[in-house]
Amino acid sequence: MAFSKEHMTALSHQLCRVKSISDLAGLLQTGLPELLKLRLEKPYSVFEVRKQKGKQRLIEAPAKDLKKALRKLNDHLQAAYFFCRSRAAYGFIQQPKSANKKRNILTNARLHCGRKYMVNIDLKDFFHQVSRMRVAGIFRSAPFQFNTELSSFLAEFTTYNGRLPMGSPTSPVLSNFATRELDADLLSYSLQNKMTYSRYVDDLTFSANQPISIEQYYTIQDMIGKKGFTINMEKV
């Protein structure tokens, strides 16, 4: 659903003004006991679906009531991310109706059109690499700067088995928050080396008009590893 920029501003401010778990329950339009119960019970349906090449993808889908609350939270998180979004991010970004420069798979590809050289890197098990501890850190940092209790609660509420689940409404936007520092570092490095960098979810693309050296690739690989992410070597 596309909102107006004014409505997205309101959604972002509403979330950032939350001070307690009780405030969060009010924001999500649920009772505090119900919210605490959802956090503790963690009702998820876990199953596998077959991918194109025959491998299995694990899906962890939240049950109806949990999904409803997570969808409401997602609207606020998406609004907050829009106003501090990475210049490199092109996937899973909710944009206002009035946005001139759309962020999607097509505009991501267009960034690299006409370049002579390209390196494409896939992050392995992307959502599962974002731990509950990392999510708590997101909520303790700007733009939220929540206290420890609220940050820990939200981290517990939005994760499953200690990491972002594949199938939750809030996992995509939280993965974008989790890669803001990585994006900033790779953008800076790319600029210094006359490369263009963009990220579509877990798909990192670097392009240039001069050859991208193996030394540059290893530097990029090292930067990714230092931010706590692992490369899927089969998809480089």
Side-chain angles (χ1 to χ4, degrees):
M1 180 186 297
F3 298 115
S4 69
K5 192 170 184 179
E6 292 74 19
H7 187 53
M8 290 184 69
T9 300
L11 288 172
S12 176
H13 287 171
Q14 288 166 9
L15 176 58
C16 292
R17 285 197 295 264
V18 167
K19 300 297 182 185
S20 66
I21 300 171
S22 180
D23 288 348
L24 179 65
L27 184 73
L28 301 181
Q29 298 177 341
T30 185
L32 180 58
E34 288 76 18
L35 186 62
L36 293 171
K37 184 179 179 182
L38 287 174
R39 191 278 304 265
L40 290 172
E41 290 186 353
K42 285 296 190 64
Y44 277 84
S45 175
V46 181
F47 56 93
E48 291 184 335
V49 296
R50 188 177 296 277
K51 295 194 286 186
Q52 287 183 348
K53 294 185 178 180
K55 293 184 179 180
Q56 298 292 323
R57 182 190 301 277
L58 182 69
I59 301 296
E60 299 148 318
K64 182 180 177 180
D65 289 343
L66 177 58
K67 192 173 192 177
K68 182 179 178 181
L70 289 170
R71 279 179 170 167
K72 288 181 180 177
L73 178 59
N74 181 60
D75 285 340
H76 292 277
L77 287 171
Q78 285 282 6
Y81 182 74
F82 176 77
F83 294 107
C84 64
R85 64 195 183 282
S86 161
R87 190 159 52 87
Y90 278 76
F92 293 139
I93 299 176
Q94 186 170 295
Q95 300 160 98
K97 297 175 183 178
S98 59
N100 293 322
K101 296 181 179 179
K102 299 296 183 183
R103 301 281 190 100
N104 54 43
I105 194 167
L106 179 60
T107 56
N108 176 67
R110 281 178 176 159
L111 280 178
H112 306 281
C113 285
R115 295 301 182 101
K116 294 181 178 180
Y117 301 92
M118 186 174 75
V119 173
N120 198 259
I121 295 172
D122 184 85
L123 299 181
K124 187 176 182 181
D125 299 327
F126 184 44
F127 287 176
H128 289 178
Q129 289 194 55
V130 182
S131 68
R132 183 173 60 207
M133 186 179 297
R134 190 190 290 256
V135 175
I138 290 169
F139 287 116
R140 285 195 301 269
S141 305
F144 309 111
Q145 297 182 316
F146 294 149
N147 60 41
T148 300
E149 181 185 33
L150 183 56
S151 297
S152 298
F153 181 90
L154 279 162
E156 183 72 28
F157 186 62
T158 56
T159 58
Y160 180 66
N161 288 337
R163 72 284 192 278
L164 291 183
M166 187 72 179
S168 168
T170 54
S171 290
V173 67
L174 287 172
S175 71
N176 272 337
F177 272 109
T179 46
R180 282 192 302 172
E181 289 186 6
L182 175 63
D183 282 344
D185 288 353
L186 293 177
L187 278 168
S188 178
Y189 180 76
S190 297
L191 183 63
Q192 293 169 18
N193 290 273
K194 297 181 180 179
M195 292 187 287
T196 296
Y197 163 66
S198 69
R199 178 180 58 80
Y200 186 81
V201 194
D202 58 355
D203 194 58
L204 284 57
T205 304
F206 302 83
S207 64
N209 284 323
Q210 71 278 352
I212 299 173
S213 70
I214 190 67
E215 289 80 10
Q216 288 174 320
Y217 167 73
Y218 283 139
T219 298
I220 290 168
Q221 186 182 54
D222 185 56
M223 292 170 73
I224 292 170
K226 284 181 177 178
K227 293 301 180 184
F229 292 97
T230 302
I231 293 172
N232 184 347
M233 300 306 295
E234 295 178 358
K235 293 186 177 182
V236 174

